[in-house]
């Protein structure tokens, strides 16, 4: 009888013993129904705090951008000066060759230096981006490693993986491409405006007339597009979750012949992502052409204005400074005046994707860490293992309690077996004892100390748990067993494996304890993986032992051998056994039968059999082969 509600979104190589968020009324449902408001300003502020950590690189990058932008701004002015070295005197063309050479040489030097500086600027942009995302990845992974079990139970793991990979990469792309672009745009706008005013205030005024229209169009278009980029990131996370589930549960998919169903579901999610991405890209691509149209409109207006001022009103003081070179410079500056907006427009897709990803990253970072409060440190040498549940009320949804005024007193060294139907609350008891969740009311004590007063790290250090879903890492067999006690010697690891009946098959492997396991230990049988998990618990030598269907995946003969080892392992330790096969708990000191969140029966095997209640009926059915 496996526990009632295993998280459905979790991969097999993660410890999942809580209620799934995907269940009706569960925390996942609440999350999906709640739309969190987006705060663009806050997201930008936090993102720049990460960028600002590489202050020296950022300052150097901005200085280089300033040099390149300054050179770019000087170009049209020098070009205009070079053109004005050509004059008409008495109907003949005259060229000031010395002046032209000087301006052309100066332009060549400036453009050469600009090219070299642009190359260095690209290198600094890449370094700034990688330094920033390195810190973000570290902070995000640190946050994920300190999230509460309730959070990981109620959130798609694919979403978190997507934030760690896709979202962070999008931020990296935006930083490497957009930081210098945005700064250059601002400097260009200011510099070009100053140069235009210097050459012709009237033509500058004409150029400015198109700015309100540009701002109006870009602002409304940006507001319209943003929702598509946000939705795109959500759908990408959903798609990643689906892929993760299919790969993790591939054997089940094949066993049930649901390959086509998996393909259809993937295609549906992929089509939604495709449609949303197309909309985001199409609308994102509109920004550039619209800005180009407005820039060309400005160009035409300036050309007409410049020609009229020079030809018709050249005798006036206001037009005296207008020359062909000046008009040419103004036309070039008009292009550069709208260019910053076009630069931002062209980067808009990258920026919006990155900001949507950054919001998702910061949403995880803003999640509260698992609270590790408590000032009472429990010593393993002094811990007796007396445990008491006092009037516990708890539900994953507070309105639907799983445990209802649950009370149980466990004496030191007792073996407590917990049986009951699916959904009765068996694993919930373990969740509360491990402080994966906190009860709504009531308390749990160990040796008279409320576990709420014991730091979680200290509490869990005295408890070993063997789950039904085996957790193994991509490492050697020895290191997987040593995970229970990192400083253990090879002899201690081997002794633990021998106690758990894992030594005999490990020694037969070509590399023995140095055998590398694939992801989740998939190159071993399920029974062998379970034996290694038990060996890990043996090595930890806990005061309290929890076996959650620990032998459910091994054959009967191996189970009998493990049971013999467990008798020695559980001596002097308080043990909780959640069992499916009732024959394996006959020697338990107390067997409690849960029904609808309360204890329906309690006693040893003989007492409960004689009573003829729920336990007796279930045991007799199993013995007759009617229930497996």
């Amino acid at each position: 009888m496996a526990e009632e509600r295993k998280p459905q979104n979790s991969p097999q190589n993660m410890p999942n013993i809580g209620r799934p968020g995907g269940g009706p009324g569960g925390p996942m449902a609440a999350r999906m129904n709640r739309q969190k408001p987006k705060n663009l300003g806050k997201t930008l502020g936090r993102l720049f705090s990460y960028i600002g950590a590489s202050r020296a690189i950022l300052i150097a990058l901005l200085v280089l951008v300033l040099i390149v932008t300054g050179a770019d701004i000087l170009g049209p002015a020098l070009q205009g000066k070079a053109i004005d070295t050509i004059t008409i005197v008495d109907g003949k063309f005259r060229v000031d060759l010395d002046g032209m050479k000087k301006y052309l040489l100066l332009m060549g030097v400036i453009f050469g230096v600009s090219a070299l500086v642009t190359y260095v600027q690209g290198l600094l942009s890449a370094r700034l981006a990688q330094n920033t995302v390195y810190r973000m990845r570290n902070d995000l992974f640190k946050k994920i490693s300190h999230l509460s079990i309730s959070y990981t139970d109620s959130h798609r793991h694919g979403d978190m993986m997507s934030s760690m990979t896709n979202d962070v990469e999008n931020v990296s792309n935006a930083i490497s491409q957009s930081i210098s672009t945005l700064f250059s745009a601002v400097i260009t706008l200011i510099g070009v405006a100053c140069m235009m005013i210097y050459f012709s205030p009237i033509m500058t005024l004409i150029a400015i007339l198109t700015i309100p229209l540009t701002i109006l169009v870009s602002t409304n278009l940006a507001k319209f597009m943003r929702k598509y980029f946000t939705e795109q990131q959500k759908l990408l996370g959903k798609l990643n979750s689906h892929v993760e589930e299919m790969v993790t549960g591939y054997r089940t998919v094949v066993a049930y012949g649901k390959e086509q169903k998996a393909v259809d579901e993937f295609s549906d999610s992929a089509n939604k992502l495709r449609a949303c991405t197309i909309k985001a890209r199409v609308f994102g691509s509109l920004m550039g052409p619209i800005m180009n149209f407005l820039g060309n409109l400005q160009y035409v207006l300036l050309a007409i204005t410049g020609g009229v001022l020079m030809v018709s009103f050249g005798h006036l003081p206001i037009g005296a400074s207008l020359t062909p070179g000046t008009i040419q410079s103004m036309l070039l500056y008009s292009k550069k005046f709208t260019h910053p907006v076009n630069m931002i427009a062209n980067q808009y897709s990258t920026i919006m994707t990155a900001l949507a990803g950054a919001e998702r990253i910061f949403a995880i970072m803003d999640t509260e860490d698992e609270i590790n409060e408590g000032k009472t440190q429990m010593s393993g040498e002094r811990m007796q293992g007396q445990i008491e549940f006092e009037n516990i009320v708890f539900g994953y949804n507070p309105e639907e309690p799983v445990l209802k005024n649950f009370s149980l007193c466990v004496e030191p060294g007792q073996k407590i077996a917990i049986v009951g139907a699916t959904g009765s609350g068996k694993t919930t008891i373990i969740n509360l004892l491990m402080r994966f969740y906190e009860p709504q009311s009531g308390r749990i004590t160990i040796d008279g100390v409320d576990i709420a007063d014991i730091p979680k790290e200290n509490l869990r250090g005295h408890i070993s748990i063997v789950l039904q879903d085996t957790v193994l890492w991509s490492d050697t067999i020895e290191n997987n067993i040593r995970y229970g006690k990192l400083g253990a010697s090879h002899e201690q690891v081997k002794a633990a494996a021998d106690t758990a009946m894992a030594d005999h098959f490990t020694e037969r492997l070509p590399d023995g304890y140095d055998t590398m396991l694939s992801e989740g230990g998939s190159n071993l049988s399920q029974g062998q993986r379970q034996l290694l998990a038990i060996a890990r618990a043996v090595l930890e030598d806990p005061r309290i032992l929890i076996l959650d269907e620990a032998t459910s995946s091994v054959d009967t003969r191996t189970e009998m051998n493990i049971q013999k080892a467990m008798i020695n392992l559980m001596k002097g330790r308080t043990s909780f056994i959640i069992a499916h096969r009732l024959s394996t708990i006959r020697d338990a000191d107390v067997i409690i039968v849960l029904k609808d969140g309360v204890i329906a029966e309690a006693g040893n095997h003989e007492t409960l059999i004689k009573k003829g209640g729920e336990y007796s009926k279930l045991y007799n059915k199993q013995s007759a082969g009617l229930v497996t």
Side-chain angles (χ1 to χ4, degrees):
M1 296 177 185
E3 174 52 30
E4 57 278 8
R5 293 168 179 170
K6 300 279 183 181
Q8 299 171 358
N9 296 317
S10 307
Q12 293 174 349
N13 63 339
M14 296 187 70
N16 299 313
I17 65 175
R19 181 177 188 259
M28 178 67 78
R31 174 175 171 262
M32 295 302 289
N33 291 331
R34 186 176 65 251
Q35 293 295 329
K36 297 177 69 175
K38 299 293 187 287
N39 190 326
L40 185 59
K42 182 179 179 181
T43 302
L44 281 171
R46 293 182 65 174
L47 190 56
F48 275 112
S49 70
Y50 275 95
I51 297 172
S54 299
R55 191 172 291 104
I57 296 177
L58 179 61
I59 292 174
L61 176 63
L62 296 183
V63 169
L64 294 183
V65 171
L66 189 61
I67 292 173
V68 172
T69 305
D72 191 47
I73 292 174
L74 282 176
L78 295 175
Q79 185 176 341
K81 294 293 185 182
I83 291 175
D84 284 341
T85 59
I86 303 174
T87 57
I88 299 178
V89 179
D90 298 330
K92 296 181 179 181
F93 284 99
R94 296 192 177 228
V95 181
D96 180 2
L97 291 177
D98 291 336
M100 180 174 285
K101 289 178 182 179
K102 179 181 71 173
Y103 290 123
L104 292 177
L105 179 62
L106 191 56
M107 289 171 63
V109 171
I110 289 176
F111 293 149
V113 171
S114 177
L116 179 62
V117 173
T118 299
Y119 171 74
V120 178
Q121 174 188 320
L123 296 180
L124 290 182
S125 293
R127 182 175 291 274
L128 177 64
Q130 291 308 308
N131 286 355
T132 300
V133 298
Y134 168 77
R135 296 185 188 92
M136 291 188 74
R137 279 198 185 101
N138 280 354
D139 288 349
L140 180 58
F141 189 81
K142 182 179 179 181
K143 167 59 70 173
I144 290 175
S145 66
H146 287 84
L147 291 172
S148 65
I149 295 294
S150 60
Y151 182 91
T152 58
D153 279 352
S154 59
H155 289 71
R156 291 190 182 98
H157 295 162
D159 282 347
M160 289 186 280
M161 292 171 63
S162 178
S163 292
M164 179 63 73
T165 54
N166 297 328
D167 291 342
V168 172
E169 190 61 30
N170 288 334
V171 171
S172 173
N173 292 336
I175 293 174
S176 62
Q177 298 174 20
S178 302
I179 290 289
S180 55
T181 298
L182 294 174
F183 184 69
S184 176
V186 173
I187 298 301
T188 299
L189 198 61
I190 296 173
V192 168
C194 292
M195 295 298 288
M196 290 179 73
I197 292 173
Y198 170 76
F199 281 113
S200 175
I202 291 181
M203 292 183 70
T204 302
L205 182 62
I206 298 298
I208 291 175
L209 291 178
T210 60
I211 290 180
L213 181 60
T214 301
I215 294 175
L216 179 65
V217 171
S218 61
T219 300
N220 285 281
L221 191 58
K223 192 180 299 183
F224 175 74
M225 288 188 295
R226 187 163 180 260
K227 62 181 181 182
Y228 290 106
F229 288 104
T230 301
E231 182 66 19
Q232 178 187 358
Q233 293 306 104
K234 289 181 180 179
L235 290 172
L236 184 60
K238 183 178 179 181
L239 189 69
N240 285 338
S241 293
H242 179 74
V243 173
E244 179 198 5
E245 289 176 349
M246 290 304 102
V247 172
T248 303
Y250 181 70
R251 291 178 183 271
T252 303
V253 174
V254 173
Y256 281 88
K258 300 300 182 183
E259 295 93 336
Q260 188 57 47
K261 181 177 183 295
V263 171
D264 292 342
E265 290 178 351
F266 177 85
S267 297
D268 181 62
S269 297
N271 281 333
K272 290 179 180 178
L273 177 61
R274 179 183 64 176
C276 183
T277 302
I278 290 174
K279 289 180 181 178
R281 300 299 179 186
V282 168
F283 291 127
S285 300
L286 283 177
M287 186 77 81
I290 291 175
M291 294 301 105
N292 283 333
F293 171 77
L294 294 176
N296 291 331
L297 176 63
Q298 180 192 72
Y299 187 91
V300 171
L301 291 175
L302 280 176
I304 294 174
T305 303
V308 170
L309 286 176
M310 186 180 71
V311 175
S312 301
F313 303 99
H315 62 282
L316 297 176
I318 196 170
S321 62
L322 287 180
T323 64
T326 300
I327 294 177
Q328 173 65 17
S329 296
M330 287 295 293
L331 291 175
L332 291 176
Y333 278 129
S334 72
K335 281 291 186 182
K336 291 185 180 296
F337 195 66
T338 57
H339 186 58
V341 179
N342 291 336
M343 287 162 58
I344 296 174
N346 292 331
Q347 290 291 323
Y348 190 80
S349 173
T350 301
I351 294 171
M352 285 297 102
T353 300
L355 289 177
E359 285 180 337
R360 284 157 47 96
I361 292 171
F362 294 139
I364 296 177
M365 289 185 179
D366 288 341
T367 303
E368 291 185 5
D369 288 344
E370 184 177 34
I371 300 174
N372 192 34
E373 79 286 351
K375 299 180 180 179
T376 304
Q377 293 285 336
M378 299 292 288
S379 171
E381 293 76 14
R382 294 188 301 170
M383 180 182 288
Q384 299 299 312
Q386 195 269 346
I387 302 172
E388 187 169 358
F389 294 80
E390 301 177 8
N391 300 316
I392 297 296
V393 175
F394 173 78
Y396 299 97
N397 182 344
E399 297 179 358
E400 300 176 6
V402 177
L403 296 179
K404 307 165 186 175
N405 293 316
F406 176 82
S407 295
L408 175 67
C409 184
V410 183
E411 296 301 326
Q414 274 192 322
K415 290 183 289 183
I416 305 298
I418 308 173
V419 299
T422 298
S424 59
K426 300 186 298 298
T427 297
T428 299
I429 294 173
I430 305 306
N431 283 344
L432 297 177
L433 178 59
M434 295 288 292
R435 291 193 67 192
F436 292 152
Y437 292 85
E438 303 290 343
Q440 270 89 53
S441 65
R443 69 172 191 157
I444 305 171
T445 63
I446 296 180
D447 295 344
V449 179
D450 192 331
I451 64 172
D453 296 328
I454 305 174
K456 291 181 179 179
E457 183 177 359
N458 177 244
L459 171 69
R460 294 167 186 170
H462 300 300
I463 304 175
S464 278
I465 183 167
V466 180
L467 301 172
Q468 180 181 6
D469 296 327
T470 308
V471 180
L472 294 175
W473 319 109
S474 299
D475 204 339
T476 64
I477 287 179
E478 180 163 344
N479 286 339
N480 268 280
I481 297 175
R482 188 178 280 122
Y483 197 78
K485 187 178 181 181
L486 296 179
S489 65
H490 174 73
E491 289 71 23
Q492 290 173 313
V493 170
K494 195 173 185 304
D498 185 58
T499 301
M501 311 298 292
D503 182 66
H504 70 284
F505 80 81
T506 302
E507 291 287 7
R508 290 200 301 266
L509 295 173
D511 296 323
Y513 284 88
D514 291 327
T515 300
M516 285 295 298
L517 299 183
S518 57
E519 183 180 359
S522 59
N523 52 336
L524 297 178
S525 70
Q526 179 63 39
Q528 289 172 332
R529 296 200 293 268
Q530 195 71 62
L531 292 173
L532 293 182
I534 294 171
R536 181 190 297 163
V538 171
L539 182 64
E540 191 174 10
D541 190 23
R543 300 301 302 168
I544 300 172
L545 182 66
I546 298 171
L547 305 175
D548 186 357
E549 300 282 7
T551 61
S552 62
S553 299
V554 299
D555 59 85
T556 304
R557 182 175 179 180
T558 303
E559 183 178 46
M560 291 174 62
N561 292 330
I562 292 176
Q563 288 300 320
K564 293 176 183 178
M566 288 302 170
I567 291 174
N568 293 325
L569 175 63
M570 291 187 287
K571 283 181 179 178
R573 294 180 173 86
T574 304
S575 304
F576 290 86
I577 308 166
I578 297 175
H580 173 67
R581 299 175 186 169
L582 302 186
S583 59
T584 64
I585 59 171
R586 293 184 58 172
D587 63 340
D589 297 312
V590 178
I591 300 171
I592 65 171
V593 181
L594 287 178
K595 185 176 182 180
D596 297 329
V598 297
I599 298 177
E601 294 178 326
N604 59 30
H605 175 75
E606 290 75 14
T607 301
L608 293 177
I609 290 294
K610 291 178 181 179
K611 188 176 180 180
E614 292 288 333
Y615 178 81
S616 177
K617 294 176 183 177
L618 186 57
Y619 183 82
N620 290 332
K621 287 181 179 179
Q622 283 197 3
S623 299
L626 299 177
V627 179
T628 58

